[in-house]
Amino acid sequence: RGREFLMKDLYSFHASKADLDAYYQTVIGAYKKILERLTLNARLTEAAGGAFTDEYTHEFQVLAPAGEDTVFFCGACDWAQNKEIAKTKQGDACPKCSAVIEEAHGIEVANVFKLGTRYSEAFGLRYDDEKGEKHPVVMGSYGIGPSRLLGTLVEVFHDKDGIIWPESVAPYAVHLVALGGDKNTAVARKAMDLYTELSRRGIEVLYDDRDISAGKKLADADFIGIPFRAIISEKTGEKIELKRRNETTAKLISPKELFQLLEIRN
């Protein structure tokens, strides 16, 4: 945990457990879509309810060595359980498909709880049915940690040189680097023109025009991890040297080709 923790909380209120159960699955589906768009492979994991509920809760666990939880899971199906409640262990047969259970660390990025009537009864939260009879409201609680998600993305998507942001969450689409000369050179003017046109087209661009060595600029570009790095230098001429952050080779393309490539992804 950090000193500061941001959470997206959601609560639902229902007239019956059946209605809660249906909505619970709806939220699980929505959370799965969110995490898939973030390109995170999160396992829906059974967990203890703690002080909140007597039922199982569910966590979305991203398997990673840095995770603080231990997860037992099946590689052949979608069964997974937090070690805190597990009655099985690594090497046992999966209770769902009989394959071998595996063990890994996991980072919890979201969770869903069926609170039932515990809090509605404590606070006297009731509703009137069609006969005028009062019943406790049935509740559910759901949450995603945006700040924890960012940390998880960095843990999962990085190499020895720095971050490798997935395109869906990258702070910029392209990292523009001008190499050679000061801000009054032809290279700098070309780079500024390209930056201006990219911005005009609604493409988010980070422009490094600092008066430092080429090696430092390129190292910083890898460290920050924007999906595309575009270099303008005397060697590139009218072309642009483009390289994906997760690839080792670069290619020369025209400004028009760059615009087309980035606008498709914008």
Side-chain angles (χ1 to χ4, degrees):
R1 298 285 182 177
R3 294 182 180 180
E4 181 177 281
F5 183 70
L6 299 178
M7 194 72 182
K8 179 219 69 68
D9 276 328
L10 168 68
Y11 295 90
S12 63
F13 304 86
H14 308 268
S16 67
K17 185 178 184 302
D19 192 54
L20 167 63
D21 290 346
Y23 189 74
Y24 189 83
Q25 294 303 319
T26 298
V27 175
I28 286 175
Y31 279 14
K32 283 182 177 179
K33 287 182 180 179
I34 291 170
L35 295 170
E36 285 170 2
R37 288 183 64 183
L38 296 175
T39 66
L40 286 173
N41 181 18
R43 285 187 165 268
L44 185 64
T45 304
E46 292 180 344
F52 298 104
T53 176
D54 294 329
E55 292 192 51
Y56 279 156
T57 64
H58 289 88
E59 303 165 341
F60 287 85
Q61 294 276 0
V62 175
L63 302 185
E68 70 274 38
D69 287 321
T70 300
V71 177
F72 291 135
F73 68 97
C74 176
C77 71
D78 60 358
W79 181 89
Q81 222 174 40
N82 194 305
K83 185 178 180 179
E84 293 179 351
I85 65 162
K87 296 180 180 179
T88 59
K89 63 183 183 299
Q90 183 179 13
D92 287 351
C94 170
K96 188 172 182 178
C97 74
S98 298
V100 177
I101 291 176
E102 302 176 55
E103 178 181 337
H105 289 290
I107 305 173
E108 181 187 346
V109 294
N111 52 47
V112 289
F113 296 81
K114 294 180 183 179
L115 298 177
T117 60
R118 173 173 296 198
Y119 294 101
S120 57
E121 288 178 342
F123 286 94
L125 179 61
R126 299 177 179 274
Y127 72 95
D128 295 340
D129 66 13
E130 63 274 10
K131 297 179 181 178
E133 297 177 352
K134 292 187 179 295
H135 304 275
V137 173
V138 184
M139 296 175 58
S141 174
Y142 323 86
I144 291 180
S147 54
R148 172 165 285 215
L149 275 173
L150 286 174
T152 304
L153 286 163
V154 173
E155 287 290 350
V156 173
F157 300 109
H158 73 275
D159 61 15
K160 63 180 179 60
D161 297 317
I163 304 169
I164 306 174
W165 288 113
E167 290 184 38
S168 60
V169 293
Y172 300 93
V174 59
H175 193 144
L176 177 61
V177 180
L179 298 182
D182 58 29
K183 296 182 181 181
N184 296 316
T185 63
V187 167
R189 289 193 293 273
K190 288 178 184 177
M192 179 53 72
D193 288 344
L194 182 60
Y195 170 78
T196 302
E197 182 60 19
L198 286 167
S199 300
R200 188 189 71 79
R201 290 172 180 260
I203 298 169
E204 294 178 315
V205 52
L206 176 64
Y207 177 29
D208 188 349
D209 63 346
R210 296 174 296 169
D211 186 17
I212 58 174
S213 70
K216 174 62 174 171
K217 285 187 177 183
L218 299 181
D220 284 352
D222 281 343
F223 182 72
I224 295 170
I226 307 303
F228 291 93
R229 184 191 72 194
I231 293 177
I232 297 229
S233 69
E234 291 182 357
K235 292 182 180 180
T236 61
E238 297 301 317
K239 299 280 190 175
I240 299 161
E241 182 185 294
L242 186 71
K243 187 182 85 69
R244 293 176 185 266
R245 175 60 181 85
N246 61 351
E247 295 180 353
T248 57
T249 58
K251 61 181 179 180
L252 290 176
I253 64 173
S254 67
K256 182 179 179 181
E257 290 173 315
L258 178 65
F259 300 146
Q260 291 174 340
L261 174 66
L262 296 178
E263 284 177 335
I264 291 173
R265 290 169 165 76
N266 195 20

